[in-house]
Each structure stands twice: as C-alpha cells, then as structure tokens.
C-alpha cells in the first residue's frame, strides 16, 4: 500500500505539470493539420455515424433500445468507450514513447499515463456536449439520477488510472504487451455493451451465466452505469455485487501496478 500512496501523492503534487504537458501534447499532435484540434471531435463523430448506420439502422432497424432512441442509447456507451479505449492504449504506451523525456525529466514518470488521460479529455468533453444536445432533441429529460453520473465518472477515472500505471509498466518490460492490448480492446468493444445490449441478445435461462460473467467486466459496469444515470433506470447501490467486484478489481490492479512501477522505474531506461 505504500507504493499506492506514493504514486497517488505524485499525481497530486504534479497536477500542474500534468495539465501543462497534456495541453502541449494536444497542440503538438494536430499542429500540422489544417483543422487542428477539431479532429479530436471530428474523428469520433465520424465513427459514431458509421456505427449508427451499421448497428442502429442496419442491425437494429431503428427500433427503440430499452425504451430510448438507439442513437441516444449508443451515444452514452460509445462516448465512454472512445475515452476509455484511447486512454488505455495511449496510457499503455505513454512511458515507452517518451524515452527521451524519461531520461531527462525532473518529475515522476508515474504521471505520464495521467497526462495521456488528460489529453483525451478534450474530445470526451466535446462529445458529451453532443450527447446532451441530442438528449434535449429527443426529449430525454433530466432527473435526480443524473447526479450519479459523477460517481461513475470517478469510477472511470479510477479504472483508467489504475490500469494506466499497470499497462505502462508492463509495456516497458514486455513490448509485445501493447500489441496484445490492442487486440484485447477490439474484442472488449463488442463485449462491453457499447453498441448492443447482450442481455437481450443472449436468450435462454441456460445462457444466463454468460450474461452474469460479461456483467463483471469493469468497462461494462461503467458504461451501463452511465446509461442508468442518463436514462433514469437505477442507482449504483442497487448493483451491490457488481459494485463490490468493480472496486476490488481496481484496488488489486492499483496495488500490483504501483508495486511493479516503483520496483522497475529506476531501470526503465535500461529496458527501453
């Protein structure tokens, strides 16, 4: 637990540095593009359009999903997925890709996954604005359930931070891990509930165990929680076992990730 405490304190003490580096990376990434930072919004918007045509119109045929227009149901899930996917992949490669900075930096290397997460937040914030406008257009009215959005947002940040520390460390030690993670995330996209509801897709009592296993996915817990909030379905404490399992996973990953990070980070340059 001392390693966890050290890593957390480093994030708090270097919050200003995290913010400055993330803003610099945002500008540097798109500085040679005519549209600049507009691509952080335009790229996911194009993907949303493609997924809606394929799954909303093609597969679902425009039917309601849990009493909600499919486009709203999908947006809630896919916006969270884009942020999670980009942060996991970027965070995994955040230390390895900064080999030059790692050798000269005057701040702890543990903040680099957090820097990447901050960089992706601009796109997430813009897409959330699109979601709110879309819900207004389709008459999805605010309710008291919306308040728990902040709880699930904290869950998402905790998930990304803990896995960011673990993934970035393993990627330095085993370079193939980043490539494997890309493949795993492609699979998780279809198992996270971002674009379809596997609870209605998987029918039959004999297959209910499959649904229960899929519901243990931390990404599903976050996405379904956002839908519970915006579509006013249920409170997070009504998912007692799922909530407990989610935070146990986060705690375990945080402990293991922090321990590995503190153990090997003095030798990161040698591994890289």
């Amino acid at each position: 637990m001392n390693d966890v405490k050290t890593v957390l304190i480093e994030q708090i003490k270097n919050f200003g540095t995290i913010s400055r580096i993330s803003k610099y990376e945002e500008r540097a990434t798109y500085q040679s593009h005519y549209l600049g930072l507009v691509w952080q919004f335009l790229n996911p918007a194009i993907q949303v359009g493609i997924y809606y045509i394929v799954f909303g119109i093609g597969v679902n045929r425009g039917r309601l999903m849990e009493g909600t227009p499919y486009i709203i149901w999908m947006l809630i899930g896919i916006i969270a997925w884009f942020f999670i996917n980009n942060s996991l992949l970027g965070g995994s490669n955040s230390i390895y890709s900064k080999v030059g900075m790692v050798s000269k930096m005057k701040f702890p290397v543990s903040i680099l996954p957090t820097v990447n997460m901050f960089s992706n937040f601009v796109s997430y914030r813009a897409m959330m604005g699109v979601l709110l406008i879309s819900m207004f257009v389709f008459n999805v009215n605010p309710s008291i359930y919306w308040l728990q959005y902040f709880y699930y947002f904290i869950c998402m940040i905790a998930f990304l931070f803990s896995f960011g520390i673990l993934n970035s460390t393993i990627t330095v030690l085993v370079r193939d891990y980043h490539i494997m993670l890309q493949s795993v995330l492609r699979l998780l996209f279809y198992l996270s509930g971002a674009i379809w509801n596997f609870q209605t897709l998987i029918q039959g009592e004999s297959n209910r165990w499959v649904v229960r296993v899929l519901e243990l996915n931390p990404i599903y817990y976050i996405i379904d929680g956002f839908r519970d909030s915006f579509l006013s379905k249920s409170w997070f404490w009504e998912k007692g076992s799922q909530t407990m399992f989610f935070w146990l996973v986060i705690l375990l990953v945080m402990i293991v990730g922090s321990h590995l990070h503190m153990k090997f980070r003095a030798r990161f340059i040698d591994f890289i």
Side-chain angles (χ1 to χ4, degrees):
M1 290 300 291
N2 287 334
D3 293 333
V4 174
K5 182 179 178 181
T6 299
V7 170
L8 290 175
I9 290 175
E10 288 176 348
Q11 311 305 307
I12 297 172
K13 287 186 176 180
N14 293 276
F15 184 81
T17 302
I18 293 171
S19 180
R20 288 193 297 272
I21 296 178
S22 64
K23 290 178 181 178
Y24 169 78
E25 288 198 343
E26 290 167 19
R27 299 189 184 99
T29 302
Y30 298 98
Q31 66 179 355
S32 60
H33 299 73
Y34 287 113
L35 296 180
L37 292 176
V38 174
W39 280 110
Q40 285 198 326
F41 165 77
L42 192 58
N43 186 47
I46 293 173
Q47 294 183 63
V48 166
I50 294 172
Y51 287 130
Y52 178 69
I53 293 173
V54 174
F55 294 98
I57 299 177
V59 177
N60 199 53
R61 300 186 182 279
R63 293 188 294 267
L64 296 178
M65 184 66 73
E66 299 180 357
T68 305
Y70 181 81
I71 184 62
I72 300 298
W73 188 90
M74 185 191 74
L75 274 175
I76 296 173
I78 210 166
I79 289 172
W81 169 259
F82 284 152
F83 182 62
I84 291 171
N85 180 69
N86 292 338
S87 296
L88 284 177
L89 284 178
S92 172
N93 208 36
S94 59
I95 296 177
Y96 187 91
S97 62
K98 299 291 189 301
V99 57
M101 186 182 296
V102 168
S103 61
K104 303 172 184 176
M105 64 176 53
K106 296 180 180 179
F107 50 82
V109 70
S110 67
I111 72 170
L112 291 178
T114 309
V115 167
N116 178 265
M117 192 195 315
F118 268 59
S119 298
N120 292 320
F121 186 69
V122 174
S123 175
Y124 174 78
R125 187 173 55 195
M127 292 302 294
M128 284 300 297
V130 172
L131 172 62
L132 292 175
I133 294 172
S134 301
M135 288 194 293
F136 175 78
V137 171
F138 285 93
N139 296 317
V140 179
N141 298 316
S143 74
I144 190 66
Y145 286 94
W146 283 32
L147 291 176
Q148 70 178 347
Y149 164 80
F150 299 103
Y151 163 75
Y152 284 109
F153 182 79
I154 292 172
C155 289
M156 182 168 64
I157 297 301
F159 170 81
L160 293 175
F161 177 71
S162 58
F163 274 88
I165 292 293
L166 177 64
N167 291 339
S168 60
T169 301
I170 297 178
T171 297
V172 172
L173 303 178
V174 183
R175 184 56 187 157
D176 292 349
Y177 181 80
H178 181 71
I179 300 176
M180 184 192 72
L181 182 62
Q182 290 177 314
S183 300
V184 170
L185 286 175
R186 291 191 190 101
L187 175 62
L188 284 178
F189 174 65
Y190 297 99
L191 299 180
S192 64
I195 55 174
W196 57 32
N197 187 350
F198 53 72
Q199 289 182 325
T200 58
L201 190 66
I202 302 176
Q203 300 291 334
E205 283 300 320
S206 61
N207 296 321
R208 294 308 297 172
W209 68 271
V210 178
V211 175
R212 295 189 185 97
V213 170
L214 292 175
E215 287 177 344
L216 295 177
N217 179 358
I219 299 177
Y220 171 80
Y221 176 80
I222 295 168
I223 290 177
D224 194 55
F226 283 139
R227 289 192 176 121
D228 286 344
S229 302
F230 287 121
L231 302 181
S232 307
K233 293 194 295 182
S234 63
W235 295 103
F236 69 88
W237 56 76
E238 296 177 36
K239 299 179 177 181
S241 57
Q242 283 181 268
T243 298
M244 184 178 298
F245 181 81
F246 174 84
W247 286 110
L248 284 175
V249 170
I250 297 302
L251 181 60
L252 177 62
V253 172
M254 189 66 203
I255 291 173
V256 174
S258 298
H259 176 70
L260 290 177
H261 180 86
M262 298 302 296
K263 181 178 180 179
F264 290 105
R265 76 173 178 182
R267 297 160 53 196
F268 277 166
I269 296 297
D270 298 331
F271 284 108
I272 294 175

